[in-house]
């Protein structure tokens, strides 16, 4: 409350946003003893629930209308924790990704109500700084990142070529000039290794930001960043929102990774947020990967991104020898050739990594004799086997057919659906090599706090012989003792019903292979597959990256998929199958009547993962070359066509996952 001139008390009203899917703000009033300004968080009563609200403005003027204004329950902060720049960023993100500003602020800001009293979350153990003279290529890259050209930079380097050293060198220059740096990595598992080296170089100016730290720790780190105490922020996707005042550099390591796209509302992509922040400030933006996304490869080809190449491994290693192992006719999960290679590696006291992408769609229909797979006649994607319905279905256009009993290619009767899991492989390795010290690194096995860090440290120190894992071991990790990498089943990503399946397969194989031979020239990679004729697998094994991107972009262009078109996915879900299907049909029927030239509507069709947690899922995809036309068309119908009760509608701009 604010004293008025005549000794009366002036009521203060605040406009707040709520972390709810409501595209409007709400007005509350302050109690007499409360002092709140823009940028505070307050607790309010909303529909008989206590929720956190974000204060967007403060005014002595009451809202228009005949209704009672509630008081807030209490302020949560003693100082503002966000300002105009954060509100501007939240508003842009909300508009771009069809969410509310409250939902964006909810994902951007820390959730803790009190600062952590725990000691710093930064590692305190002494870490020797990697002492390498930058190569000519690296020095050229650092100069290019820091020059006056405002185009984003892409650091395109083979695995082990020293991209991290380039990033740190550029960051050091920006920090010395008083600027701030955001350093994004795709996996939380990669932050510890990176943070330890960053702290050794830059001390307590480093901040860590990801979902594994507690809400109260996030609040403490947010305030350190906002005050300028921390100016190098290392973290996963949400660190792109870090409130650095003088942002000078944004680094996106492993740019191709899907984890930079949020899987829940707001469904933002960190790369797009980074580009927006770059344009709103004087910050430089550098992305890097050994396997750029197809979109980035196309932008490099067009000159929109400046390309810097790193072509040599600097630690004395060499690209590993890669070989495809045909699994047709093999009896078990581990082929005779991979088993023999493991035996030799263990005999020589060296280490091995076994990789299986268990995140992939587990079941695909194929011929075990010749590798034939059933594909859509219209979309160039794999058909998905629906066992309960006895059909093969395309989840893009709805095409369906019966599963064959005899392979149309070779006449074999040995057809069916398959899938492997890391636990089964772990069991087989234990029976084949009972003396080997084995650790499994996947989502299930590392749920206990500290287990991932311990397993990776033990493996690096030579206390383990074989590391078995999923994507957690696929990139960014550096193990000097690794000679052999075995990719247990390369087909899991290849069989995804997604136009990005080939790109993901190629990237995973290249990234996993990059763990071998980083310090010694005798690295070996064995790729087990039922599809040894797949271009993605062949070109990855042969290291022919330019040819892969050339062919992949030709296919994308002919099918009008990104980067030659933009997509917006609209998904309907609910407990009642008929209501969900009807809602999708009605919405799409309205759009079909008024489709502008250049825009296609695919679907509606049952989503590849048709039921999740008891919710039936139906989706449609809008596709167009002009994003502004596509966006405005979609928004027009989203604002005018309501969904029935019990059906939820989700909108995903530029989706990276269509499951």
């Amino acid at each position: 409350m604010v004293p008025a001139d005549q000794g009366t008390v002036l009521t203060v009203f605040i406009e707040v946003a709520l972390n709810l899917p409501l595209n409007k703000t709400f007005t509350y009033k302050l109690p007499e003893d409360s002092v709140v300004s823009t940028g505070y968080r307050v607790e309010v009563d909303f529909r008989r629930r206590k929720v956190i609200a974000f204060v967007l403005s403060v005014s002595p003027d009451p809202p228009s209308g005949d209704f009672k204004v509630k008081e807030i329950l209490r302020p949560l902060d003693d100082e503002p924790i966000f300002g105009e720049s954060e509100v501007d960023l939240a508003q842009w993100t909300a508009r771009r990704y069809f969410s509310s500003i409250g939902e964006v602020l909810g994902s951007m800001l820390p959730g803790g109500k009190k600062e952590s009293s725990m000691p710093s979350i930064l590692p305190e153990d002494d870490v020797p700084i990697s002492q390498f003279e930058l190569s000519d290529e690296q020095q050229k890259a650092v100069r290019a990142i820091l020059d006056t050209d405002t185009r984003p930079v892409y650091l395109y380097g083979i695995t082990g070529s020293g991209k991290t050293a380039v990033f740190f060198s550029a960051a050091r220059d920006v920090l010395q000039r008083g600027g701030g740096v955001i350093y994004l990595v795709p996996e939380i598992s990669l932050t510890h290794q990176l943070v330890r080296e960053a702290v050794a170089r830059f001390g307590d100016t480093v901040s860590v930001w990801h979902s594994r730290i507690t809400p109260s720790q996030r609040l403490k780190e947010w305030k350190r960043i906002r005050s300028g105490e921390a100016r190098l922020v290392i973290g996963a996707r949400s660190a792109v929102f870090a409130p650095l005042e003088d942002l000078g550099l944004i680094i996106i390591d492993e740019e191709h990774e899907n984890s930079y796209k949020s899987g829940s509302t707001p469904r933002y992509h960190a790369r797009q947020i980074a580009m927006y922040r770059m344009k709103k400030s004087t910050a430089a933006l550098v992305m890097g990967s050994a396997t750029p996304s197809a979109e980035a490869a196309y932008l490099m080809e067009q000159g929109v991104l400046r390309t810097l190449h790193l072509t040599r491994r600097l630690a004395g290693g060499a690209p590993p020898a890669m070989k495809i192992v045909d699994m047709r006719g093999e009896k078990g999960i581990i082929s005779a050739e991979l088993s023999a290679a493991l035996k030799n590696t263990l005999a020589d006291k060296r280490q091995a990594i076994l990789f299986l992408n268990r995140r992939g769609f587990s079941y695909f229909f194929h011929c075990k004799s010749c590798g034939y797979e059933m594909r859509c006649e219209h979309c160039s994607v794999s058909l998905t086997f629906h066992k309960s319905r006895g059909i093969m279905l395309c989840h893009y256009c709805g095409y369906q057919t019966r599963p064959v009993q005899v392979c149309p290619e070779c006449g074999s009767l040995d057809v069916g659906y398959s899938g492997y899991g890391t636990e089964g492989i772990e069991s087989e390795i234990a029976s084949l090599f009972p003396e080997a010290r084995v650790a499994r690194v996947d989502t299930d096995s590392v749920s206990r706090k500290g287990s991932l860090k311990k397993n990776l440290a033990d493996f690096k120190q030579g206390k383990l012989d074989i590391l078995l894992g999923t994507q957690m071991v696929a990139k960014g990790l550096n193990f000097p003792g690794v000679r052999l990498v075995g990719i247990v089943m390369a087909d899991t990503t290849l069989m995804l019903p997604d136009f990005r399946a080939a790109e993901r397969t190629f990237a995973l194989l290249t990234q996993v292979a990059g763990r071998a031979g980083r310090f010694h020239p005798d690295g070996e990679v064995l790729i087990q597959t039922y599809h040894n004729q797949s271009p993605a697998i062949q070109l990855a094994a042969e290291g022919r990256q330019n040819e892969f991107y050339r062919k992949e972009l030709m296919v994308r262009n002919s099918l009008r998929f990104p980067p030659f078109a933009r997509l917006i996915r609209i998904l309907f879900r609910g407990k009642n199958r008929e209501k969900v299907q009807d809602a999708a049909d009605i919405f799409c029927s309205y759009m079909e009547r008024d489709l502008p030239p250049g825009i296609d509507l695919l679907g509606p069709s049952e989503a590849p993962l048709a039921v999740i947690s008891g919710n039936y899922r139906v989706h449609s995809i809008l596709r167009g070359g002009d994003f502004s036309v596509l966006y405005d068309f979609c928004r027009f119908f989203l604002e005018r066509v309501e969904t029935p009760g019990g059906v939820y509608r989700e909108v995903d701009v530029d989706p990276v996952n269509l499951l």
Side-chain angles (χ1 to χ4, degrees), residues 502-503 506 536 539 544-552:
E503 176 190 343
F506 179 86
L539 294 172
R544 293 155 62 191
Q545 288 192 299
N546 291 338
E547 186 173 348
F548 170 77
Y549 286 112
R550 181 180 62 81
K551 289 185 174 181
E552 182 67 12

Side-chain angles (χ1 to χ4, degrees), residues 123-142:
E124 297 179 352
D125 47 331
D126 293 330
V127 180
I129 300 175
S130 302
Q131 298 291 350
F132 291 113
E133 286 291 326
L134 293 184
S135 68
D136 291 342
E137 285 182 328
Q138 289 174 309
Q139 291 178 31
K140 179 182 176 183
V142 174

Side-chain angles (χ1 to χ4, degrees), residues 328-344:
R328 291 171 296 179
E330 291 285 345
K331 303 298 183 185
I333 305 171
I334 304 298
S335 66
E337 191 164 355
L338 179 55
S339 180
L342 282 167
K343 183 177 180 180
N344 292 335

Side-chain angles (χ1 to χ4, degrees), residues 23 63 106 127 171 199 282 287 295 361 402 406 426 448 453 462 477 480 492 518 589 599 615 627 647:
N23 286 313
V127 180
V199 170
T282 58
M287 297 171 270
E295 288 86 345
F361 209 70
R402 293 283 180 186
V406 177
E426 184 180 32
R448 188 164 46 87
K453 176 181 173 182
L477 299 172
T492 49
R518 293 176 77 92
S589 68
I599 291 183
N615 282 279
F627 180 71
V647 177

